[in-house]
Amino acid sequence: MGGPIEFPKNYHMYMKEAMACLQSHDYEKAVNYLEKAYQLKKDDQLNILLVTAMLQSGYPKQALALAEEKLSYYEAYEKRMLIFVELLIENGQFLRAKRYINDYLKRGLKGYKESWNKLDEELASRSDEVRNQKKQREDEVMKELFSLASLTPEEQFAIVDQAEALPTDKLKAVAPSVFTNPYVHALARSSLLSVLIERQDTEEYVYEWFGELKTIKPNQFVPFEEHPRVLFIIQSVSNQLEQNPSLMEHVMSEVKLILLIAYPFIDEVIAKGKEQMWIDSIISSIDHSHELKVAVSDEDNQIIHDWKMKIYKVIQ
């Protein structure tokens, strides 16, 4: 067995080094020593000291997580709550911070009233700053969405991903431009549509799909991940190729891409009852030795071939 673990000695050594670092304003090193000490002794006072040092070092997220461990201790004393609320503001938890500030200001306690008022002013300033930054970013994303057709497919996908953070009214404003522009990639177009479907948008739009202009209402469609044909085909591929993981990975990738391009009118591309024919066709294009599960007529084979050519053309 090993020798005795000298916790007290180590603890005091770490604290001594930490205090020396704090006195010289070397908060990074102080945090390192304080964390080691805190692992040995999770003392309430040490928690505050470590939280404060973390805040000074630019680690507000970690500091808040540490303070949350002893929230009742902070709430038990007003001066400690000033530190905790400052952490909330630094972490952008403005509503929670505002509730604490209002609560203490309503109490009318004189001891730290000025400090609470200063925190309230800081909260208002930070809230305005974040709000302005958010609005500025939203305006930038809106401009990029309106000029989506001038971007590469990869850039289009990235912008549409950011569009998910926009409020619905702004998405509805830009949707007509995105939905009808033939130079917007089909995946970018369907991605924006998916967001409006999830938000149950009742607006009516004209939607470009394989050169056709269709009238759609997002709330009348189900999300891609919940589409019955999507769920059935993916499960069928999984069952059929479970003994060949490598092939299944390639086939699944191809299947999902085809379904995404066909969305939201998947049923017009892959008719009910024709799913296995499509699965066989996709597997055969990857594995030429694949044996068909079902017989395919010349007519069905031609229909599948024509649709695949249309889809691959869109992908390019």
Side-chain angles (χ1 to χ4, degrees):
M1 295 181 64
I5 301 175
E6 300 178 287
F7 280 163
K9 181 179 178 180
N10 289 340
Y11 176 82
H12 290 301
M13 179 190 73
Y14 292 143
M15 289 302 297
K16 181 180 178 181
E17 294 291 344
M19 297 309 293
C21 291
L22 288 173
Q23 288 178 356
S24 61
H25 304 292
D26 191 344
Y27 297 107
E28 285 276 355
K29 286 186 178 180
V31 166
N32 182 49
Y33 286 117
L34 288 171
E35 283 182 322
K36 290 178 179 178
Y38 194 69
Q39 289 301 314
L40 300 177
K41 185 178 179 183
K42 296 187 180 296
D43 180 74
D44 292 341
Q45 291 292 335
L46 179 52
N47 180 284
I48 293 180
L49 192 60
L50 178 52
V51 162
T52 304
M54 282 181 166
L55 190 57
Q56 292 286 345
S57 300
Y59 301 113
K61 185 176 180 179
Q62 294 88 329
L64 178 59
L66 196 65
E68 293 275 19
E69 293 178 6
K70 294 183 176 290
L71 179 57
S72 59
Y73 176 69
Y74 283 83
E75 290 180 330
Y77 183 44
E78 185 177 1
K79 188 174 182 180
R80 291 194 287 266
M81 279 307 297
L82 287 167
I83 298 173
F84 187 79
V85 171
E86 184 179 354
L87 284 171
L88 292 177
I89 295 173
E90 286 295 324
N91 281 276
Q93 296 191 25
F94 300 143
L95 291 177
R96 192 177 172 195
K98 186 64 175 175
R99 285 195 293 269
Y100 278 119
I101 291 172
N102 287 346
D103 180 50
Y104 277 95
L105 287 176
K106 285 178 182 177
R107 297 181 190 183
L109 302 176
K110 296 181 179 180
Y112 299 100
K113 185 177 181 180
E114 184 178 345
S115 297
W116 286 114
N117 282 326
K118 285 183 178 179
L119 276 180
D120 199 26
E121 291 174 3
E122 181 184 348
L123 173 60
S125 176
R126 292 289 293 276
S127 297
D128 288 342
E129 181 182 342
V130 169
R131 194 179 301 112
N132 290 335
Q133 289 176 348
K134 182 181 178 182
K135 184 181 182 305
Q136 183 179 352
R137 183 54 194 151
E138 286 180 354
D139 291 343
E140 290 173 357
V141 173
M142 285 291 288
K143 288 179 182 178
E144 291 170 331
L145 284 170
F146 275 115
S147 60
L148 211 56
S150 65
L151 304 176
T152 66
E154 291 74 17
E155 290 171 334
Q156 291 184 24
F157 304 151
I159 295 302
V160 172
D161 282 343
Q162 295 178 44
E164 291 189 39
L166 294 175
T168 303
D169 61 328
K170 290 194 173 184
L171 290 179
K172 290 167 70 172
V174 76
S177 171
V178 174
F179 288 164
T180 58
N181 195 317
Y183 297 104
V184 171
H185 197 281
L187 289 179
R189 190 183 301 119
S190 64
S191 293
L192 180 59
L193 174 60
S194 294
V195 177
L196 292 175
I197 289 172
E198 290 175 0
R199 299 186 187 184
Q200 288 291 289
D201 179 21
T202 59
E203 198 76 29
E204 186 173 276
Y205 303 96
V206 175
Y207 190 88
E208 198 273 340
W209 186 79
F210 288 102
E212 296 181 50
L213 293 179
K214 293 178 173 287
T215 300
I216 64 170
K217 284 187 177 181
N219 70 322
Q220 294 178 347
F221 296 92
V222 296
F224 176 82
E225 299 82 4
E226 300 173 18
H227 195 289
R229 200 62 44 83
V230 172
L231 294 173
F232 179 82
I233 292 174
I234 288 177
Q235 187 59 55
S236 297
V237 171
S238 180
N239 292 340
Q240 186 172 336
L241 299 177
E242 61 181 344
Q243 300 302 320
N244 192 339
S246 178
L247 179 58
M248 181 169 68
E249 183 180 351
H250 285 88
V251 172
M252 198 70 80
S253 177
E254 188 78 0
V255 163
K256 289 180 179 179
L257 182 58
I258 288 173
L259 290 170
L260 281 167
I261 294 293
Y263 186 74
F265 303 104
I266 294 174
D267 295 348
E268 293 190 27
V269 178
I270 305 177
K272 188 174 182 180
K274 307 291 184 180
E275 297 92 348
Q276 187 59 52
M277 295 180 185
W278 271 87
I279 293 172
D280 280 339
S281 177
I282 294 169
I283 295 176
S284 296
S285 66
I286 297 172
D287 178 10
H288 301 306
S289 65
H290 171 69
E291 295 183 9
L292 303 182
K293 289 284 185 180
V294 295
V296 185
S297 67
D298 291 340
E299 182 182 358
D300 283 331
N301 189 54
Q302 188 62 50
I303 290 173
I304 292 173
H305 175 270
D306 291 346
W307 268 117
K308 286 172 72 175
M309 291 303 99
K310 287 183 182 180
I311 290 169
Y312 293 143
K313 185 178 180 180
V314 168
I315 294 172
Q316 292 175 353

